[in-house]
Amino acid sequence: MLRYLLVSGLSALMLLLSTTSPLPAQEAQGTGGKWKEGQFELVDGDRVVLIGNTFIEREQQHGYLELVLTLKHADRRATFRNLGWSGDVVSGLSRARFGDVNEGFGHLKRSLELTKPTVAIICYGGNEAFEGEAGQERFKQGYETLLAEIEKYTSRVVLVTPPAMENMGPPLPDPAPYNENLAKYGKTIQDLAYDRGYVVADMTALSQKIFDAAEEQRLTTNGLHLTDHGYWRLAHALAEELGVSTVASISDSRENYLNKTTTAKASVPLPVDPSPIADTPNVKLQVTGLDTGTYTARVGQEASQIATERQLQAGISIHVPELAERSELLRQTIVAKNELFFHRYRPQNETYLFLFRKHEQGNNAAEIPQFDPLIEEKEAEIFRLCRPMVLTIRLRASN
């Protein structure tokens, strides 16, 4: 049994997917136990924490990657907490605020205690890679210290190598030297995963592949920070790896659909392209056993489409507005939940609430936990919205 699995791209986030396990056979429980042999998946009650620098922090404002992980386990009540912090490194230095690195790491430890993760997805190394080979050993030691803290809560961990830098062309510098350093830091991350029996996601390779395929459309604002479309593209790559449908599918035989109005459940797909929003099909309708001829098909409230029996047997694509609206509403609800949690664990006026000016307004710190029920309300809405949607199906033989 392999103790270590290196998966291309985001497929290493297949802690959510059945695959070969690099860990000993043991049930993956919501209490933070190791993965069950042959399974990387979430269970009811799992608390997934995302930790890292700007890439992770900004994901909470877009929600596409979390949406994929949510839809992958639409039948399970797993929750997600984003502990990303812009500019952060494995030592937690950016979290120090007015203190030193010890204060920054202490803040991260308190955040872990607040969230009590049963699953941790971690992405560091992007900032450290600017130091080149001189900083590699320090990076490794810092990562080991961080992982020791996380293992107090869970050993179900995925290490994500940082995204590559996109080549924006002149006048911005050539990112090749940085990306070479990034690959070396990625090797350090892979070694850490091997030593501890974790899974590692090669985000560096996947992001570079996406950048190369994007042609003229830029996926970052400055080479480093992804646009909304960039996060959307990465989410679709993750969806492909995890088997999450970007288009819902309805398949049945003529007996259930022909010349009658019926209903079918369709899984919620990913939102359509935000840049620009395209009239992307949301349902693939497939009907077998039809006689030769043409048919009129309708899914939901969308206008009817004409198709032959061969086209229907292969599957026709239909844009279903109500399904697209459900998908986007789900993403927006995830983003709203993330914003509430952001204010819960790092309020903007924490100097007055918790630090050296708490003698002025520290009594208001009691209000911060009042975000918890608001977050729970959003999570209840997320659980409801990600359930399969019932759609009306009409199929008639054309005259």
Side-chain angles (χ1 to χ4, degrees):
M1 178 67 66
L2 293 175
R3 292 186 60 248
Y4 168 64
L5 178 64
L6 174 60
V7 192
S8 65
L10 279 176
S11 59
L13 289 181
M14 295 168 73
L15 70 143
L16 320 171
L17 187 68
S18 297
T19 183
T20 303
S21 172
L23 298 176
Q26 186 175 345
E27 287 290 335
Q29 302 292 343
T31 56
K34 289 192 174 182
W35 302 111
K36 180 181 178 181
E37 183 175 5
Q39 298 288 326
F40 289 110
E41 60 181 12
L42 300 182
V43 299
D44 287 338
D46 260 335
R47 298 179 298 277
V48 184
V49 169
L50 294 91
I51 306 170
N53 54 29
T54 309
F55 168 71
I56 295 295
E57 181 184 292
R58 292 193 176 192
E59 153 56 20
Q60 68 185 302
Q61 300 171 354
H62 302 278
Y64 290 109
L65 297 179
E66 183 178 330
L67 175 59
V68 171
L69 304 184
T70 298
L71 290 177
K72 176 61 183 176
H73 298 89
D75 59 339
R76 302 169 197 185
R77 299 178 72 87
T79 59
F80 295 82
R81 297 288 183 267
N82 190 307
L83 297 180
W85 200 294
S86 291
D88 201 27
V89 292
V90 289
S91 65
L93 178 60
S94 293
R95 304 166 194 259
R97 298 156 300 174
F98 300 102
D100 57 12
V101 65
N102 293 325
E103 166 58 23
F105 197 69
H107 188 284
L108 179 54
K109 290 196 291 184
R110 291 190 293 274
S111 299
L112 290 171
E113 180 59 26
L114 173 66
T115 54
K116 293 181 171 59
T118 62
V119 175
I121 300 174
I122 312 168
C123 183
Y124 277 114
N127 292 319
E128 293 92 334
F130 283 103
E131 298 184 22
E133 292 187 29
Q136 267 189 270
E137 184 59 31
R138 182 167 58 254
F139 171 69
K140 180 180 179 180
Q141 293 174 359
Y143 221 141
E144 289 175 336
T145 301
L146 171 62
L147 294 174
E149 287 296 326
I150 290 172
E151 285 186 339
K152 295 177 181 178
Y153 299 92
T154 183
S155 55
R156 298 160 66 200
V157 175
V158 170
L159 302 185
V160 182
T161 65
M165 185 184 294
E166 184 180 24
N167 190 347
M168 304 288 284
L172 294 180
D174 182 359
Y178 171 80
N179 287 335
E180 290 178 4
N181 283 334
L182 202 64
K184 296 174 182 178
Y185 277 73
K187 178 61 167 57
T188 298
I189 293 170
Q190 294 165 19
D191 291 342
L192 286 169
Y194 178 86
D195 292 341
R196 293 172 177 266
Y198 297 158
V199 171
V200 57
D202 192 358
M203 172 76 76
T204 309
L206 179 65
S207 58
Q208 188 60 65
K209 180 180 178 181
I210 292 176
F211 294 154
D212 292 342
E215 297 178 348
E216 296 302 319
Q217 186 170 22
R218 298 304 183 191
L219 302 184
T220 65
T221 58
N222 55 7
L224 282 175
H225 301 135
L226 289 167
T227 62
D228 190 51
H229 180 66
Y231 277 104
W232 181 84
R233 287 286 297 271
L234 280 179
H236 271 256
L238 173 59
E240 292 177 4
E241 299 287 355
L242 297 183
V244 177
S245 178
T246 58
V247 177
S249 180
I250 299 174
S251 300
D252 214 326
S253 62
R254 58 169 288 166
E255 287 75 16
N256 292 329
Y257 289 149
L258 187 58
N259 296 326
K260 66 176 68 172
T261 299
T262 187
T263 59
K265 288 185 177 181
S267 59
V268 179
L270 292 183
V272 296
D273 188 349
S275 177
I277 294 179
D279 190 27
T280 305
N282 295 103
V283 168
K284 180 181 180 182
L285 177 63
Q286 188 174 29
V287 183
T288 60
L290 295 171
D291 295 332
T292 302
T294 58
Y295 296 83
T296 302
R298 173 181 288 184
V299 178
Q301 304 303 314
E302 181 67 355
S304 301
Q305 292 192 26
I306 305 297
T308 66
E309 86 286 350
R310 289 187 177 181
Q311 290 172 324
L312 282 163
Q313 182 170 336
I316 62 172
S317 296
I318 302 178
H319 179 63
V320 182
E322 57 264 45
L323 195 60
E325 292 168 3
R326 168 73 71 85
S327 179
E328 178 59 18
L329 179 58
L330 174 57
R331 186 188 69 85
Q332 291 177 4
T333 305
I334 288 173
V335 171
K337 178 268 298 180
N338 288 338
E339 182 178 2
L340 288 170
F341 176 70
F342 183 90
H343 295 308
R344 169 64 171 95
Y345 100 100
R346 50 187 292 191
Q348 293 185 23
N349 59 343
E350 60 182 344
T351 301
Y352 290 90
L353 297 176
F354 303 113
L355 301 176
F356 59 85
R357 300 191 70 171
K358 65 182 179 181
H359 62 280
E360 300 179 45
Q361 298 183 27
N363 59 304
N364 293 324
E367 298 180 4
I368 298 303
Q370 294 177 16
F371 279 102
D372 291 340
L374 302 178
I375 295 170
E376 291 172 1
E377 288 178 8
K378 289 297 181 184
E379 287 175 336
E381 187 176 355
I382 290 169
F383 297 146
R384 177 181 63 83
L385 290 173
C386 69
R387 295 171 184 166
M389 190 173 184
V390 177
L391 298 174
T392 302
I393 310 295
R394 300 178 182 88
L395 180 66
R396 293 181 180 149
S398 300
N399 295 328

